[in-house]
Amino acid sequence: MINQYAALPYRLDAKGDPEILLITSRERKRWVIPKGNPIPSFMNYETAAREAFEEAGVEGGIAIESIGSFRYLKRRRSGLEVPALVTVYPLHVTRQAARWPERGQRELRWFAPADAAEAVEEPELKAIIASLAARKDALFPRASLVVMGVNRFSWGYRMLKLVRKLMPREDRFFDMFERHAQILVAGADTLEKMVSGREPIPSSCQTIEAHENAADDVTRDVLVAVRRSFITPFDRSAITALTSAMDTAIDEMWQTAKAVTLYEVTAFEPQMAEMSKAAREASRLVLEAIPLMRNIGRNGARLHEITEAIVHLEGKADVLHDAGLRALLEAGARKDPMSFIVNREVYRHLERVLDAFEDVADEITGIVIDHA
């Protein structure tokens, strides 16, 4: 799986209502938003702003926090399709350039939010666009990118790259943490859909493997950054411990998928479905917690609530695990010991997923205690 960053360009009409700018893709000519791969030495939201200029020629204030993410299949030049996870940042458009790199290659059009949501294909992107009008906090970003820093042909852009290379890169750890948390959500969503019977098992296992590989890439990036960075937001051991705990959570999802594949599981018990839902909920709590860690002093109370909720979900999973094994015995597992062994193995892996999320919560708690 690849990670990309997108800008959701908007402006306010005379009544103060938002309008959304969509562009067409170059190959299929379908309606999309500007997006692209990570740019070295750029923050995630800066990458999104850069793509908005290159693909649509628009500049303005870019929010430093995302308003969601969506998935799609990116077609390579070879024809191979690979899953992509796109993080979206709202961009308040204040200027339309006369020249930009991809002018003439795409069509640009302003839409009402409902019409824009209808025009795009990805269900998750539809939801993000449809909710934008109600997200007043997202419409007024707390930080913006200097306009001259977006245009890759400008002096400001070249200076921005130079400064990014020279200055301490403390904030980049939060970008990587957020990317890791987004992968956790994507993996947990796939796991829950598979166990609940809403997605085919073989393709779900392949998708979870792709998420696990993407998480490994992020983990390596964090470890390299820890070694190279002069300034870090937390103690280096705390950074590596948090990253390791997050990586273990997606690893355990992959171990669950491997067990399902190895034992040729074709159906799941009701308690398994409930455990997978708990994992999905825990992943979303982690995704909420990571951006709040940029300001622990202000967000300490909410972070405490989040970690307590994750611990509660782990306890719930323990109860479901025991109840599931008891139900198997009562259903006659003694007459079919192999079925009991296989299901017990699946239960064990699902329990480890929640254990890993509890470890993530413990690492966040430790950081909050040290820095509140």
Side-chain angles (χ1 to χ4, degrees):
M1 187 183 72
I2 60 176
N3 287 278
Q4 294 186 318
Y5 303 98
L8 181 57
Y10 73 92
R11 67 185 181 188
L12 303 179
D13 63 16
K15 298 180 180 179
D17 296 325
E19 295 179 320
I20 308 298
L21 178 66
L22 298 182
I23 62 176
T24 55
S25 61
R26 284 186 289 190
E27 294 183 2
R28 294 176 52 198
K29 301 301 179 182
R30 64 189 185 91
W31 291 110
V32 297
I33 59 176
K35 61 183 180 295
N37 298 329
I39 301 174
S41 78
F42 270 49
M43 306 291 281
N44 294 344
Y45 60 87
E46 291 173 338
T47 295
R50 161 79 176 276
E51 295 299 330
F53 174 78
E54 291 203 350
E55 297 182 3
V58 291
E59 300 169 320
I62 186 77
I64 65 173
E65 296 181 1
S66 72
I67 55 171
S69 59
F70 68 93
R71 285 158 288 192
Y72 79 106
L73 291 177
K74 178 176 177 59
R75 187 185 300 275
R76 300 285 196 184
R77 292 183 179 179
S78 63
L80 178 68
E81 291 186 336
V82 296
L85 180 67
V86 185
T87 305
V88 181
Y89 297 87
L91 172 72
H92 184 196
V93 176
T94 57
R95 178 175 179 268
Q96 171 70 63
R99 295 174 55 248
W100 64 94
E102 298 184 17
R103 181 183 178 185
Q105 301 178 27
R106 305 172 185 272
E107 180 182 349
L108 282 64
R109 185 182 303 174
W110 289 95
F111 292 83
D115 295 333
E118 181 67 25
V120 298
E121 291 183 357
E122 298 81 5
E124 293 164 316
L125 180 56
K126 289 178 180 289
I128 291 172
I129 293 174
S131 67
L132 184 65
R135 296 284 300 273
K136 296 299 184 184
D137 57 323
L139 294 181
F140 299 97
R142 288 181 293 167
S144 62
L145 188 65
V146 178
V147 170
M148 70 174 185
V150 179
N151 186 338
R152 70 174 179 176
F153 302 114
S154 69
W155 171 86
Y157 168 72
R158 294 193 296 272
M159 287 302 299
L160 179 62
K161 289 191 68 176
L162 176 61
V163 170
R164 284 297 183 200
K165 290 180 179 179
L166 296 178
M167 70 183 294
R169 301 172 65 178
E170 179 178 352
D171 284 349
R172 300 193 186 288
F173 287 101
F174 292 106
D175 285 347
M176 291 184 283
F177 291 154
E178 289 181 32
R179 193 183 312 166
H180 216 158
Q182 290 158 0
I183 294 171
L184 287 180
V185 170
D189 281 351
T190 303
L191 180 67
E192 190 276 330
K193 290 176 182 177
M194 177 181 72
V195 176
S196 65
R198 292 187 288 124
E199 293 288 348
I201 292 175
S203 61
S204 295
C205 291
Q206 292 176 0
T207 301
I208 293 172
E209 180 182 13
H211 292 320
E212 194 273 337
N213 291 334
D216 285 343
D217 292 339
V218 177
T219 300
R220 284 192 293 271
D221 290 344
V222 172
L223 296 179
V224 169
V226 167
R227 293 196 299 269
R228 293 180 176 177
S229 297
F230 180 71
I231 298 177
T232 57
F234 314 123
D235 183 80
R236 296 172 190 275
S237 62
I239 292 174
T240 56
L242 176 58
T243 300
S244 177
M246 295 172 71
D247 192 51
T248 299
I250 190 67
D251 283 345
E252 292 298 345
M253 295 182 209
W254 171 224
Q255 292 299 322
T256 304
K258 286 203 293 187
V260 168
T261 302
L262 176 64
Y263 296 116
E264 299 180 345
V265 176
T266 57
F268 298 93
E269 301 297 321
Q271 290 85 355
M272 294 178 184
E274 290 300 314
M275 292 176 74
S276 68
K277 290 178 182 178
R280 183 187 63 182
E281 186 175 347
S283 72
R284 280 167 165 72
L285 288 169
V286 172
L287 182 59
E288 179 186 352
I290 294 300
L292 298 179
M293 296 175 69
R294 293 177 183 266
N295 190 331
I296 291 177
R298 184 180 64 188
N299 300 316
R302 178 54 187 159
L303 285 166
H304 177 73
E305 294 173 354
I306 290 172
T307 54
E308 286 292 312
I310 294 174
V311 171
H312 174 75
L313 288 169
E314 192 279 333
K316 178 182 177 181
D318 285 343
V319 173
L320 289 167
H321 171 271
D322 295 343
L325 293 181
R326 192 178 308 111
L328 288 173
L329 290 171
E330 293 174 355
R334 292 182 178 85
K335 297 179 181 179
D336 187 1
M338 183 55 67
S339 175
F340 177 80
I341 292 171
V342 169
N343 282 289
R344 183 183 63 183
E345 191 72 6
V346 175
Y347 272 120
R348 182 172 67 90
H349 285 295
L350 287 171
E351 184 183 31
R352 287 182 174 179
V353 172
L354 272 300
D355 288 343
F357 275 116
E358 183 181 29
D359 290 341
V360 174
D362 289 343
E363 297 300 335
I364 293 174
T365 297
I367 292 172
V368 171
I369 292 173
D370 289 341
H371 295 271

